[in-house]
């Protein structure tokens, strides 16, 4: 799936193709989502939308109260970077609002386009896929909205609806599937995690002359550290810093090979996976019988 970016007002002469690669069936299966688009996708998408409107009062409010004042329009980095008007937060949210009006408001049901309402069609779904995956859910725009409308929550709802009918991106689904298979976003297997920790212990010995340990799967430690997996693999200075700090403070600590990821990509997919990924931290803490969890990105 691709679209041609218009020339940005800030970056003249720049054009690019964006490809948001669709999820692989194996990853969708691993995270309990339909492997391909479900047959009656329109009905199911509207039913999921209805469920979310009842579940999250904020979503219902955000659908109804936008005054289209435009205060958020130039606050999104994706609009500033691409110059694409549909990347304005208000325009992004409007993609969902139009469908909301059509199926959930009396005027939209009666008057359709005259009430700024739109059927959920293949074209609309393509636009959702393109623009809701260009929102990083950073919440910057909400700071500038006089009503406090949080476009990130609107994006989360749109992605939740899409994932429920089997529409999601390869990047996000692959990462969550890796967490269930190996405990972390990068897919680092347990022996490699252990090996990296031993390597970092050697580095610390060389640097400080001290035996500073990076314990793994140690039962009964005071602290379970849940770092971003990249700290073990790429940003190793941070991992060395944790070890030095715990050593200096005299705190016993450990990492877990079941759950060694501080970043939760469930946030970018749906609530069920967001919760399930977080539950792994609790499970690891209980299994290792630690007293506290230190968890951070
Ligand atoms: S939450 Fe989304 S729409 Fe709002 S500023 Fe961040 S990326 Fe842009
Ligand atoms: S700032 Fe708020 S009310 Fe104004 S257009 Fe943006 S989302 Fe709507």
């Amino acid at each position: 799936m691709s679209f041609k970016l218009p020339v940005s007002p800030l970056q003249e002469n720049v054009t690019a193709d964006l490809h948001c690669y669709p999820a692989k069936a194996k990853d969708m299966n691993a995270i309990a989502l339909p492997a391909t688009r479900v047959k009656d996708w329109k009905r199911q998408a509207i039913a999921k939308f209805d469920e979310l409107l009842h579940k999250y009062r904020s979503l219902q409010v955000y659908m109804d109260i936008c005054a289209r004042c435009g205060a958020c329009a130039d606050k999104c980095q994706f609009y500033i970077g691409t110059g694409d008007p549909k990347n304005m937060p208000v325009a992004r949210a409007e993609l969902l609002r139009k469908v909301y009006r059509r199926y959930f408001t009396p005027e939209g049901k009666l008057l359709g386009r005259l009430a700024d309402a739109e059927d959920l069609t293949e074209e609309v779904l393509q636009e959702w896929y393109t623009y809701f995956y260009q929102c990083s859910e950073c919440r910057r725009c909400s700071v500038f909205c006089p009503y406090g409308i949080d476009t990130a929550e609107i994006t989360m709802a749109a992605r939740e609806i899409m994932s429920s009918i089997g529409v999601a991106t390869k990047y996000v689904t692959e990462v969550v599937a890796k967490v269930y298979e190996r405990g972390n976003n990068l897919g680092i297997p347990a022996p490699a995690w252990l090996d990296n920790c031993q390597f970092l212990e050697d580095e610390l010995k060389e640097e400080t002359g001290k035996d500073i340990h990076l314990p793994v799967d140690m039962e009964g430690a005071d602290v379970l550290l849940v770092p971003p997996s990249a700290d073990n693999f790429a940003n190793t200075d941070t991992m060395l810093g944790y070890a030095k700090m715990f050593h200096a403070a005299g705190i016993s600590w450990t990492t877990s090979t079941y759950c060694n990821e501080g970043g939760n990509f469930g946030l970018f997919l749906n609530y069920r996976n967001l919760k399930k990924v977080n539950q792994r931290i609790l499970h690891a803490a209980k299994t290792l019988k630690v007293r506290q969890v230190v968890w951070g990105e």
Side-chain angles (χ1 to χ4, degrees):
M1 200 167 300
S2 69
F3 78 103
K4 202 79 159 171
L5 286 175
V7 176
S8 162
L10 300 177
Q11 298 174 312
E12 279 184 26
N13 305 320
V14 174
T15 54
D17 278 326
L18 279 191
H19 297 274
C20 216
Y21 293 103
K24 290 179 183 165
K26 78 170 177 56
D27 293 328
M28 294 294 266
N29 283 331
I31 58 181
L33 290 174
T36 53
R37 178 111 60 99
V38 297
K39 281 210 174 78
D40 60 343
W41 65 271
K42 284 184 199 176
R43 188 192 62 75
Q44 286 199 38
I46 298 303
K48 177 57 88 174
F49 200 168
D50 190 30
E51 179 194 319
L52 297 182
L53 287 167
H54 283 89
K55 203 165 165 186
Y56 307 120
R57 188 178 291 182
S58 53
L59 179 64
Q60 174 76 63
V61 172
Y62 297 159
M63 289 295 102
D64 285 327
I65 64 168
C66 175
R68 301 194 200 180
C69 67
C72 62
D74 59 349
K75 304 302 185 297
C76 175
Q77 58 274 15
F78 290 86
Y79 169 64
I80 294 168
T82 64
D84 185 339
K86 285 187 178 162
N87 268 327
M88 292 177 183
V90 58
R92 194 188 314 286
E94 196 60 18
L95 295 173
L96 201 65
R97 279 199 192 98
K98 283 185 174 185
V99 175
Y100 164 75
R101 290 189 202 105
R102 172 68 185 83
Y103 295 92
F104 300 101
T105 67
E107 64 274 20
K109 285 178 189 173
L110 277 172
L111 302 172
R113 281 186 180 274
L114 289 174
D116 237 346
E118 195 167 21
D119 283 335
L120 178 56
T121 60
E122 182 66 37
E123 290 69 35
V124 169
L125 183 65
Q126 296 293 328
E127 284 202 314
W128 283 10
Y129 187 76
T130 300
Y131 291 101
F132 286 114
Y133 273 103
Q134 286 188 72
C135 166
S136 61
E137 302 177 15
C138 72
R139 303 197 140 136
R140 184 171 192 264
C141 52
S142 70
V143 177
F144 297 91
C145 174
Y147 292 107
I149 294 173
D150 187 351
T151 307
E153 274 195 47
I154 297 172
T155 292
M156 287 159 77
R159 290 189 188 185
E160 179 135 15
I161 295 167
M162 286 189 280
S163 67
S164 74
I165 58 168
V167 175
T169 66
K170 175 174 175 283
Y171 178 48
V172 173
T173 51
E174 199 170 66
V175 168
V176 178
K178 269 185 206 154
V179 169
Y180 297 148
E181 191 189 340
R182 298 195 167 169
N184 56 75
N185 291 353
L186 293 181
I188 303 169
W193 184 271
L194 195 61
D195 195 52
N196 284 351
C197 285
Q198 284 164 355
F199 172 76
L200 295 177
E201 284 177 356
D202 293 344
E203 290 275 299
L204 283 167
K205 180 79 177 177
E206 205 171 291
E207 182 193 329
T208 68
K210 295 179 180 167
D211 291 317
I212 300 175
H213 298 295
L214 283 89
V216 179
D217 294 332
M218 183 173 80
E219 266 193 39
D222 283 338
V223 167
L224 168 65
L225 174 74
V226 186
S229 54
D231 286 0
N232 178 273
F233 187 72
N235 313 319
T236 49
D237 279 349
T238 317
M239 203 76 199
L240 294 173
Y242 302 136
K244 285 180 186 171
M245 181 194 69
F246 285 124
H247 180 80
I251 295 171
S252 68
W253 66 289
T254 185
T255 54
S256 155
T257 52
Y258 172 76
C259 173
N260 41 18
E261 183 55 66
N264 186 337
F265 268 50
L267 176 71
F268 306 122
L269 189 60
N270 65 2
Y271 185 77
R272 184 155 43 100
N273 280 291
L274 177 68
K275 191 173 168 185
K276 206 172 152 193
V277 170
N278 279 349
Q279 279 172 337
R280 293 178 69 88
I281 298 177
L282 283 179
H283 181 78
K286 284 179 183 163
T287 307
L288 293 173
K289 302 182 180 68
V290 298
R291 293 171 58 215
Q292 287 184 347
V293 175
V294 174
W295 167 25
E297 250 282 39

